[in-house]
């Protein structure tokens, strides 16, 4: 029987709750679809950091490298500064495994009402550059605490990095029905890196005549997302810009609790990582009411990536059946808990 080895990293907060739900649903699906998923859990979390001083133990990434995919919950704790937890766990994996293409779909699932007028037109995929840009880590801080203290945060854009994300975006856009790709930058104000983004985009575009494109500045695209959602389809943007836009996209499509993401190494030299984008949500941790839909959706993306498109589609259908029946957690205005949504999706499978 075909077997996939999946590393699960529940991490912090509700990450533990939604990953448990995800493993339950995936295991039941695998049984029906005749393949095996071997999950191995890693306790890499803020709790571990506070106890041992490291999120990832020595040799951890080497071990993680041997898996077919990574199923990730969330990282972030009230007891650890956010920049420590992010740079301690999630970024070493994204950057270490060259997961440069971050894919973030948004759609108003059946039964969910968008707060936005015309929100039903939302069917977007945001492609976030995931290896450099504003998250390069380049910069520094000197004269700490002195009046002349100085800090720099340098965005780094390389031709290799920009070219590969644009190529990925064109490839994805051309497989979607509308074949439409929007380039989002801020090349009026950021006149070096973002101009490089624009230039390379139009170089690559020549190889994809079937894809229709447009270019919008990042501030202007927020108004377009809100006022004319149907005019957008696939969007490519830098690490920080796409981070911000994808939260807006999630809120407009119903809730942050349904939004999934895939951190892909398209060349498959390293495992890719699949996670909900909502984060650890300590305000609701332990209450059993976290929305597991984002995790189920990202699980479907993981199956697609592993080469199980039939199972991926079956899971997506089961998710849609569940939202159609409005088995909702409180973030979607419902009264159900994680368990009830998980059971509903398993029934629908
Ligand atoms: C995301 C998140 C992360 C990010 C946080 C948790 C650091 O917001 O995946 O969108 O900014 O990359
Ligand atoms: Mg974000």
């Amino acid at each position: 029987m075909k077997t996939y080895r999946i590393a699960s990293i529940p991490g912090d907060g509700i990450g533990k709750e939604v990953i448990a739900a995800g493993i339950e649903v995936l295991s039941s699906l695998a049984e029906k679809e005749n393949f095996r998923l071997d999950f191995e859990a890693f306790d890499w979390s803020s709790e571990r950091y506070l106890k041992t001083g490291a999120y990832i133990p020595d040799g951890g990434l080497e071990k993680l490298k041997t898996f077919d995919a990574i199923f990730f919950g969330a990282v972030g704790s009230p007891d650890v500064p956010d920049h420590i937890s992010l740079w301690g766990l999630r970024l070493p994996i994204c950057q270490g495994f060259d997961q440069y293409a971050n894919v973030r779909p948004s759609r108003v699932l059946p039964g969910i009402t968008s707060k936005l007028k015309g929100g039903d037109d939302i069917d977007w995929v945001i492609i976030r550059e995931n290896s450099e840009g504003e998250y390069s880590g380049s910069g520094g801080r000197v004269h700490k605490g002195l009046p002349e203290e100085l800090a720099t945060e340098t965005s780094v854009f390389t031709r290799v990095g920009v070219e590969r994300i644009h190529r990925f975006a064109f490839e994805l856009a051309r497989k979607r029905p509308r074949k439409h790709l929007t380039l989002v930058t801020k090349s009026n104000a950021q006149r070096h890196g973002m101009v490089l983004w624009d230039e390379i985009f139009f170089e690559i575009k020549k190889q994809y005549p079937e894809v229709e494109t447009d270019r919008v500045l990042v501030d202007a695209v927020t108004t377009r997302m809100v006022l004319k959602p149907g005019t957008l389809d696939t969007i490519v943007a830098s690490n920080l810009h796409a981070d911000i836009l994808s939260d807006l996209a999630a809120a407009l499509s119903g809730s942050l609790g349904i939004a999934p993401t895939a951190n892909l190494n398209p060349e498959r030299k390293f495992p890719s990582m699949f996670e909900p984008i909502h984060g650890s949500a300590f305000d609701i941790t332990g209450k059993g009411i976290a929305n597991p839909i984002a995790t189920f959706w990202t699980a479907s993306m993981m199956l697609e990536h592993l080469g199980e498109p039939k199972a991926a589609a079956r899971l997506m259908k089961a998710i849609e059946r569940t939202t159609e029946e409005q088995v909702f957690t409180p973030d979607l205005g419902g009264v159900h808990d994680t368990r009830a949504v998980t059971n509903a999706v398993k029934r629908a499978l």
Side-chain angles (χ1 to χ4, degrees), residues 74-76 82-83 85-87 90-91 94 102 104 128 130 135 239-240 242-244 246-247 256 261 263 275-280:
V75 62
D82 287 338
H83 66 279
S85 56
L86 176 64
W87 286 91
R90 198 171 155 271
L91 289 186
C94 290
N102 184 233
R104 303 187 159 199
R128 169 180 181 183
N130 214 29
Y135 282 58
N239 215 329
L240 180 63
D243 172 42
I244 297 165
S246 58
D247 267 28
L256 203 54
T261 186
N263 302 280
E275 57 173 339
I277 77 170
H278 49 61
S280 46

Side-chain angles (χ1 to χ4, degrees), residues 214 221 326 337:
D214 55 3
V221 87
Q326 301 194 315
D337 57 8

